[in-house]
Amino acid sequence: MASRTLGDTALAGFRAGFAGTAVAPGDPAYDEARTLFNAMIDRRPAVIAQCGTVRDVAEAIRFGRENGLEIAVRGGGHGVAGTALSDGGLVVDLRRMHAVTVDPQARTARVGGGATMSHLDRATEPYGLATTGGRVSTTGVGGFVLGGGAGWLDRKFGLACDNLLSVDLVTAAGDTVRASEDENPELFWALHGGGGNFGVATSFTLRLHPLPLVTAAMLLWRPDAGPEVARAYRDFLEAAPDGVGGGFFYLTAPPEEFVPEDMAGKLACQVLVVYAGGMQETRDVAEPLFNLAPDAELATECSYADLQCMLDDPPGYRNYWSAEYLASFPDPAVDVFCARAADLIVPSPSQHVLFPQGGAVARGPAEYPVPWRRAPWVVHPFGLWEDPADDERGRRWAHQVRADVEPWSTGAVYLNFIGHEGEDRLVAGFGADNHRRLAEVKARYDPGNVFHLNHNIEPARDAGVDLKGA
């Protein structure tokens, strides 16, 4: 859908009937309103519709469609491809719709479509409850859950979408629908990994779990220890209880008191142990890792919400990420993974990551369109840097990491971990059969593909739906 110039008269008419705030070029708040997590993205929408209610969302969609504006949807704005903005289009900005209501007896939370993980985690914290969240507090709940949702404690609680009980959605036609096991069940299925293809999700109901505290332990070594530590970490995780999360990383050692001065600002390898329990139990469970004589060590008990904030990625950096899901991580894979760490941009917040899966992730519902859940490991090159001159270097490194470990790949991929990498990767994110089924759901709820700024599923052309309709 091509965007066109929005006239002053049309904008004034929209503002007159819109209860939210419509921000346009030239307004004092415009540049801040269009800033995303990925500093590579510099797009200039014709109007940013900052919605406060479901009615605002429907009105913004109607206005965008009537004026031929390409529609983007913004929640947290964390996606690496920057699809939360449209050049010359309309942005349905949900960030004002961030309320979270917790029912501690039912152990559920009703979450606004614009909430971040911080909004959710801080609301559940007083009750000693939590659910699987993104690995930082600034991640938007909506895109995270709709994409499947992997986090620090998914081995214990399952993927975020496994804890999804219902979604309220505004369709391209402006209709409000609810999806749950009992209402619109086919749409509910599609929302377990199908992303924002079917409408604008204005609220979610999520299952919560008891989690009074967690322990986080950061263990650092100089990089030459990496292969030995990675093998030990692999062997440890393969027998670890579900309550253990975390990852193995190469990164820039931080300039903190617990880090030796000669390591700060240089490449290091790290094991992060996140455990759903107290300090002593964590040390007992993870004893094989503590016994590897780390060069630096920091461990703390805290709330889950504090853990999420502690590990926030800094804003304002240029970003490029990708991922490869592995059926196994044998010694040859360890060797090539560790060797590629030498290409990491240092110093920077970039990370060369190995995340574990298994546990409740692998045992989760097989019918949802998240075929990557069965892989025990994921390699995640996560690049952040400041200098535009490093853009090509950062992209090349990410793709080389993928190529290195491809011999052990399952072929499936979590689409929240990647940008636009072609149709084959898109289909791999859902599975071929699931992709066909998702296209049929798309044809019912968004036959005109209004919501195409995402990991887009084209509506099925043989689904018996009038594609000239909504």
Side-chain angles (χ1 to χ4, degrees):
M1 181 187 297
S3 295
R4 59 183 177 83
T5 302
L6 181 64
D8 292 343
T9 301
L11 180 58
F14 176 55
R15 282 174 163 157
F18 183 62
T21 301
V23 180
D27 291 344
Y30 180 73
D31 283 334
E32 182 178 356
R34 70 184 184 91
T35 298
L36 298 180
F37 179 73
N38 186 357
M40 280 189 186
I41 310 302
D42 184 21
R43 297 183 183 141
R44 301 184 64 84
V47 59
I48 301 170
Q50 297 178 330
C51 301
T53 66
V54 173
R55 183 176 179 181
D56 285 347
V57 172
E59 181 64 17
I61 294 170
R62 180 198 62 77
F63 177 77
R65 297 195 65 189
E66 288 180 355
N67 287 274
L69 300 174
E70 185 177 50
I71 293 175
V73 181
R74 175 169 185 160
H78 252 255
V80 67
T83 54
L85 295 182
S86 169
D87 260 330
L90 179 141
V91 178
V92 180
D93 188 337
L94 301 174
R95 284 177 290 174
R96 294 184 178 182
M97 301 173 67
H98 62 249
V100 178
T101 303
V102 178
D103 183 335
Q105 280 71 45
R107 292 181 180 170
T108 61
R110 183 174 173 83
V111 186
T116 64
M117 287 311 311
S118 181
H119 293 123
L120 173 57
D121 295 337
R122 291 302 180 192
T124 61
E125 181 181 25
Y127 305 101
L129 298 171
T131 195
T132 299
R135 293 180 171 91
V136 294
S137 70
T138 53
T139 298
V141 174
F144 173 74
V145 173
L146 295 178
W152 296 126
L153 292 176
D154 52 16
R155 285 169 42 82
K156 184 170 180 64
F157 298 137
L159 299 175
C161 70
D162 297 341
N163 293 285
L164 182 62
L165 300 175
S166 68
V167 183
D168 292 322
L169 196 80
V170 180
T171 68
D175 298 326
T176 301
V177 298
R178 173 164 290 184
S180 68
E181 287 187 356
D182 301 321
E183 300 175 83
N184 301 300
E186 187 69 358
L187 175 61
F188 188 58
W189 169 84
L191 295 172
H192 288 71
N197 274 283
F198 313 102
V200 179
T202 56
S203 70
F204 305 81
T205 302
L206 299 171
R207 181 185 298 110
L208 303 177
H209 306 268
L211 187 66
L213 60 80
V214 297
T215 299
M218 290 178 280
L219 311 177
L220 272 75
W221 293 261
R222 290 171 175 82
D224 56 357
E228 176 190 357
V229 175
R231 289 182 177 89
Y233 180 74
R234 174 200 62 196
D235 296 345
F236 164 70
L237 252 296
E238 287 177 351
D242 293 353
V244 174
F248 173 83
F249 305 72
Y250 283 92
L251 41 61
T252 301
E256 302 289 348
E257 288 187 8
F258 76 99
V259 178
E261 187 174 346
D262 69 305
M263 289 181 66
K266 298 178 182 177
L267 184 67
C269 70
Q270 171 187 279
V271 167
L272 173 65
V273 177
V274 176
Y275 186 70
M279 178 72 73
Q280 189 55 56
E281 188 178 3
T282 302
R283 288 187 172 274
D284 292 343
V285 167
E287 183 179 10
L289 301 176
F290 284 93
N291 287 345
L292 290 174
D295 296 302
E297 174 186 324
L298 178 67
T300 183
E301 288 182 358
C302 59
S303 70
Y304 180 63
D306 284 345
L307 167 71
Q308 294 284 74
C309 294
M310 189 187 309
L311 300 169
D312 279 354
D313 301 314
Y317 283 84
R318 306 174 75 80
N319 283 231
Y320 193 81
W321 326 326
S322 192
E324 202 68 46
Y325 281 72
L326 308 185
S328 63
F329 192 54
D331 287 353
V334 171
D335 291 340
V336 297
F337 174 80
C338 292
R340 185 61 64 186
D343 294 334
L344 195 69
I345 296 174
V346 176
S348 83
S350 295
Q351 299 175 1
H352 186 56
V353 188
L354 174 76
F355 286 132
Q357 292 202 134
V361 176
R363 295 192 302 270
E367 66 270 21
Y368 293 144
V370 283
W372 43 272
R373 73 157 72 239
R374 299 293 184 236
W377 300 101
V378 53
V379 168
H380 181 34
F382 183 83
L384 299 91
W385 56 87
E386 292 183 283
D387 190 346
D390 284 327
D391 287 358
E392 180 55 32
R393 176 185 170 192
R395 291 191 187 98
R396 185 172 61 251
W397 160 71
H399 290 295
Q400 288 172 333
V401 170
R402 277 194 57 215
D404 288 343
V405 298
E406 190 172 7
W408 301 279
S409 173
T410 68
V413 62
Y414 175 34
L415 295 175
N416 280 5
F417 270 180
I418 71 171
H420 296 306
E421 296 187 1
E423 185 69 14
D424 288 347
R425 288 277 275 174
L426 175 74
V427 174
F430 305 119
D433 290 342
N434 289 329
H435 185 259
R436 286 188 286 270
R437 183 176 169 187
L438 289 165
E440 294 175 357
V441 180
K442 176 78 169 185
R444 177 175 179 183
Y445 290 95
D446 184 17
N449 205 11
V450 171
F451 302 113
H452 61 271
L453 290 178
N454 44 43
H455 287 292
N456 190 234
I457 301 164
E458 292 275 350
R461 299 296 165 180
D462 57 353
V465 177
D466 178 7
L467 298 183
K468 296 180 181 178

